[in-house]
Amino acid sequence: MFSRKITIGLASVALLGAMNANAELLKGDTEISGSLSIQETETDFSDSETTFLLFTGGQMLTDNLQGILGISMFESEGFTSGQFTFGADYLFSPRSELIPYVGGSYALSFGDQDDTDFLQLKGGVKTFISETTSVFGEYRRLEAVDSDFDITISTLAVGLSVKF
C-alpha cells in the first residue's frame, strides 16, 4: 500500500513540473515549506501508518547547499508527538527545471510517546511553478539512534515551498 502512495505522490510532482516556471535557488535565498506526509512506522512490536503536517525553513548556504530546520507534529491513538529536525540538503542542479536533492538531518523527538531521536536521510525533487513557489516530492527514512527498540520510519511527503 505504501509503494502505491509513493507512486501517486511522485506522479503528482511530475505533473506539476509541466507547469514549470523559470526560477532558481541561489546562495542567500530563504525557503519556507509545508508538506502533507504519509508515515509508515515499523518497530519490533508493531507497524502503523500516520498522516501529518511538516513545516521546514531553509537558507541557501551556497548555490548547492541548504541548511534546514523543521518541526512536525501528529496525533495518533490519543498520543501527541513530534520532532524538531536540523540538517542540510544538497541540491544537484538548483538552476534546472527539475531540482533533485538529497539530505540528512538529526530529529529530536518530543511528546507523549517515547522520546526517541532519529537520524534521517532523504531524497526528492522540486520544481518551480512561479518565480517564488515550488512544489516537491520527497522520501525520508528515519532510523532510531537511542531506543531500546528497532524503529524505522519511512515517510512520503508532497509539499509546497515559497522562497524569499
Side-chain angles (χ1 to χ4, degrees), residues 96-143:
S96 65
E97 288 183 16
L98 287 176
I99 304 170
Y101 61 92
V102 295
S105 62
Y106 192 82
L108 302 169
S109 297
F110 63 88
D112 296 333
Q113 294 180 327
D114 181 31
D115 290 334
T116 300
D117 296 340
F118 295 88
L119 288 178
Q120 173 181 273
L121 295 176
K122 65 180 176 177
V125 64
K126 68 172 66 183
T127 187
F128 278 90
I129 58 173
S130 76
E131 285 294 315
T132 59
T133 306
S134 64
V135 294
F136 64 91
E138 179 175 283
Y139 174 77
R140 293 184 218 103
R141 178 90 173 180
L142 290 89
E143 296 285 338

Side-chain angles (χ1 to χ4, degrees), residues 33-108:
S33 302
S35 64
L36 176 64
S37 301
I38 299 167
Q39 174 176 293
E40 184 176 339
T41 304
E42 300 171 15
T43 67
D44 291 338
F45 48 91
S46 70
D47 294 342
S48 65
E49 191 173 291
T50 307
T51 302
F52 66 98
L53 292 175
L54 172 67
F55 298 97
T56 59
Q59 176 77 37
M60 291 299 292
L61 305 174
T62 70
D63 282 352
N64 294 91
L65 188 64
Q66 184 177 48
I68 301 290
L69 295 174
I71 186 169
S72 64
M73 196 160 186
F74 57 91
E75 185 174 1
S76 177
E77 300 176 7
F79 294 100
T80 302
S81 298
Q83 296 173 335
F84 292 110
T85 59
F86 55 95
D89 288 348
Y90 182 83
L91 288 71
F92 290 100
S93 51
R95 294 182 180 92
S96 65
E97 288 183 16
L98 287 176
I99 304 170
Y101 61 92
V102 295
S105 62
Y106 192 82
L108 302 169

Side-chain angles (χ1 to χ4, degrees), residues 24-30 59-63 94-95 163:
E24 56 190 27
L25 288 169
L26 301 172
K27 181 179 178 180
D29 286 346
T30 300
Q59 176 77 37
M60 291 299 292
L61 305 174
T62 70
D63 282 352
R95 294 182 180 92
K163 81 169 188 168

